[in-house]
Amino acid sequence: MRRKLAFQALCASFDARYTPEPNTGCWLWMAGCTTAGYGELYDGTRLIYAHRFSFERFHRTRVKGEHVRHACDTPGCVAPHHILAGNAKSNAQDCNDRGRRPRGAATTMAKLTEADVV
């Protein structure tokens, strides 16, 4: 049976897997990532998001329903000063405000392309 890694070992593993980017201040995750670019860290029993681990390590434990979002719009960033707590509404609002919400044919539910409409 696998057991959860000790917190110190997990911190050491985390520290070995990012590299600071001097121009933006991001800490770029250099290990495994999701298809969306979010870093993943193995805690001994499961994969966890690296940015969530960073938030809990450097800030505080997340509360139920709380989202961890990036101020820098870089999914692979794990810098604690670029990660904020929020809720689903603030996360969606960030997405809209920063122009990251897909529109038109780029949405997953689109049935027509731009050419079809014309």
Side-chain angles (χ1 to χ4, degrees):
M1 180 181 195
R2 295 179 182 156
R3 57 184 189 94
K4 200 168 188 175
L5 293 174
F7 184 72
Q8 292 82 7
L10 195 55
C11 289
S13 178
F14 174 86
D15 290 340
R17 289 174 166 75
Y18 70 82
T19 185
E21 203 290 311
N23 296 318
T24 63
C26 288
W27 295 0
L28 301 177
W29 190 250
M30 305 304 288
C33 293
T34 66
T35 56
Y38 293 97
E40 293 180 314
L41 183 64
Y42 186 66
D43 75 353
T45 59
R46 63 192 169 98
L47 287 173
I48 56 175
Y49 284 121
H51 66 287
R52 288 181 182 170
F53 176 79
S54 180
F55 179 83
E56 291 190 2
R57 177 182 178 191
F58 294 105
H59 295 292
R60 60 177 169 75
T61 302
R62 292 181 309 127
V63 296
K64 186 174 178 146
E66 189 172 53
H67 288 234
V68 176
R69 51 200 182 94
H70 289 89
C72 59
D73 284 340
T74 305
C77 178
V78 295
H81 55 283
H82 286 188
I83 299 173
L84 311 167
N87 56 27
K89 183 177 180 179
S90 63
N91 201 26
Q93 190 63 49
D94 278 351
C95 188
N96 284 334
D97 293 348
R98 296 173 181 170
R100 290 181 287 141
R101 176 134 354 247
R103 303 210 180 267
T107 64
T108 58
M109 298 297 289
K111 293 186 168 103
L112 300 172
T113 65
E114 302 295 330
D116 292 336
V117 174
V118 174

